[in-house]
Amino acid sequence: MPHMKPPLTHFLCLPLVTEASKPQLQASLRKFSSEVLDAAGDDTAVVIPEKAIRPVGTLHLTLGVMSLMSTERVERASKLLEQVDLLQMLRKADMRTSQPDAGSDPAGHASQDEAKGSDLVSPLMVTLSSLVSMHAPKRTSILYANPTDTSNRIQPFCMSLRETFEQAGFLAADDRPLLLHATVMNTIYATDRRSRGPNRRGKGLGNRGSSERGHGMKKGKLTIDAAELIHRYKGYEWAKGFRIEKVAICKMGAKKSIDQDGNAVEEYEEITSRSLP
């Protein structure tokens, strides 16, 4: 029998929903939804299933996925996050953007000389912009917003953090380069999985028989022609200049609940997190 991979249970991420970003993300997703869900009378519109659009509370940047099948493994991964020197990782990310060959320690351990430096590290400020396809734009199942920061630290910081968890044996093996992305649409979450041709309203949905890879999806999936959407949202800012507040380990599978204002929300459960400066 072929070796069965253990199921993925958790993921390491940077949550994107903060007090500053939430109103911006809500407004942007409302705009996006209004354009792709209600296209009656527009034969050129792209129509996307409502379930495919990700709820605000689920937005994050994934650094890696994990299979933590025991309480011990969960506790050990949580302890690693507690112990890693995030402040030093941010310092080193800053050094790597100005001095490419920094020779940094991925675990973030400071040298004596570096430790003499200031404890002050500027916040990691991020803007989510544009709409990018995970696959060929004319036949895609995943669309995402691109995260950028003016200091260019987010990529090296996340790579160092991912490497630390990889070396400790917590992240599932993945040889692909780290692609930071905030998923806006993923048709795997759409409930209508019937095979379909072009939607009667316009460009709409393709069939679900595609064999394209996308985030480990092995079953056939709905695809859309997103070329016009991608052009329309080029340069669009979903949320601008907000601070990344923490690193978190979350459980797979977003959960629905009711918030304090009585609104239905969908979020991933955090098992532990660490604040960023």
Side-chain angles (χ1 to χ4, degrees):
M1 292 180 61
H3 177 69
M4 298 294 291
K5 293 183 179 180
L8 300 175
T9 61
H10 297 76
F11 58 94
L12 180 68
C13 71
L14 302 183
L16 295 175
V17 182
T18 69
E19 187 174 339
S21 69
K22 188 174 182 179
Q24 298 183 67
L25 292 171
Q26 287 175 324
S28 291
L29 285 172
R30 277 196 299 267
K31 165 184 164 60
F32 182 69
S33 297
S34 69
E35 293 181 0
V36 299
L37 297 180
D38 186 13
D42 186 350
D43 291 337
T44 65
V46 177
V47 181
I48 295 174
E50 183 174 6
K51 295 283 188 180
I53 300 174
R54 302 306 290 138
V56 172
T58 66
L59 298 184
H60 65 275
L61 303 178
T62 300
L63 308 189
V65 294
M66 312 182 197
S67 179
L68 306 178
M69 297 297 291
S70 67
T71 301
E72 179 192 8
R73 289 272 293 167
V74 172
E75 290 175 349
R76 285 174 55 202
S78 299
K79 186 175 181 180
L80 178 59
L81 183 56
E82 291 172 8
Q83 294 177 338
V84 71
D85 192 339
L86 297 177
L87 197 64
Q88 189 59 24
M89 281 187 175
L90 282 171
R91 287 198 192 99
K92 286 182 177 292
D94 198 17
M95 292 170 59
R96 288 165 76 174
T97 58
S98 57
Q99 301 175 4
D101 188 17
S104 62
D105 171 8
H109 300 304
S111 68
Q112 289 184 350
D113 290 340
E114 290 166 341
K116 295 177 183 177
S118 171
D119 285 338
L120 297 177
V121 174
S122 59
L124 198 56
M125 307 297 291
V126 169
T127 293
L128 299 177
S129 60
S130 298
L131 195 61
V132 186
S133 175
M134 191 67 72
H135 316 105
K138 287 187 172 293
R139 190 176 177 82
T140 187
S141 61
I142 299 174
L143 296 173
Y144 64 89
N146 187 44
T148 58
D149 72 300
T150 56
S151 68
N152 295 318
R153 290 177 298 161
I154 190 168
Q155 187 75 21
F157 170 71
C158 290
M159 288 173 62
S160 293
L161 191 55
R162 182 173 83 158
E163 188 174 347
T164 297
F165 275 77
E166 282 179 340
Q167 291 181 351
F170 289 114
L171 293 188
D174 190 346
D175 295 331
R176 295 173 297 181
L178 177 61
L179 175 63
L180 296 175
H181 62 283
T183 302
V184 173
M185 182 213 79
N186 189 338
T187 63
I188 197 173
Y189 298 105
T191 55
D192 183 2
R193 302 302 302 272
R194 294 173 298 175
S195 178
R196 301 173 67 176
N199 188 278
R200 64 182 179 83
R201 288 182 177 177
K203 295 182 180 180
L205 305 172
N207 64 43
R208 66 174 205 157
S210 170
S211 60
E212 293 179 71
R213 281 185 60 204
H215 280 200
M217 293 161 57
K218 296 180 180 179
K219 296 181 179 180
K221 55 189 179 292
L222 270 60
T223 60
I224 67 165
D225 178 353
E228 190 276 331
L229 271 180
I230 291 170
H231 176 74
R232 190 191 315 171
Y233 277 82
K234 183 177 180 179
Y236 176 77
E237 293 178 338
W238 299 80
K240 182 178 180 179
F242 63 95
R243 183 170 73 89
I244 298 293
E245 296 183 350
K246 58 186 174 181
V247 180
I249 295 175
C250 297
K251 284 186 177 181
M252 289 282 190
K255 294 184 177 180
K256 296 179 181 180
S257 61
I258 303 298
D259 66 14
Q260 59 185 10
D261 298 321
N263 300 314
V265 295
E266 193 169 343
E267 302 170 321
Y268 291 101
E269 179 184 351
E270 292 182 11
I271 64 165
T272 189
S273 65
R274 280 278 305 284
S275 296
L276 289 173

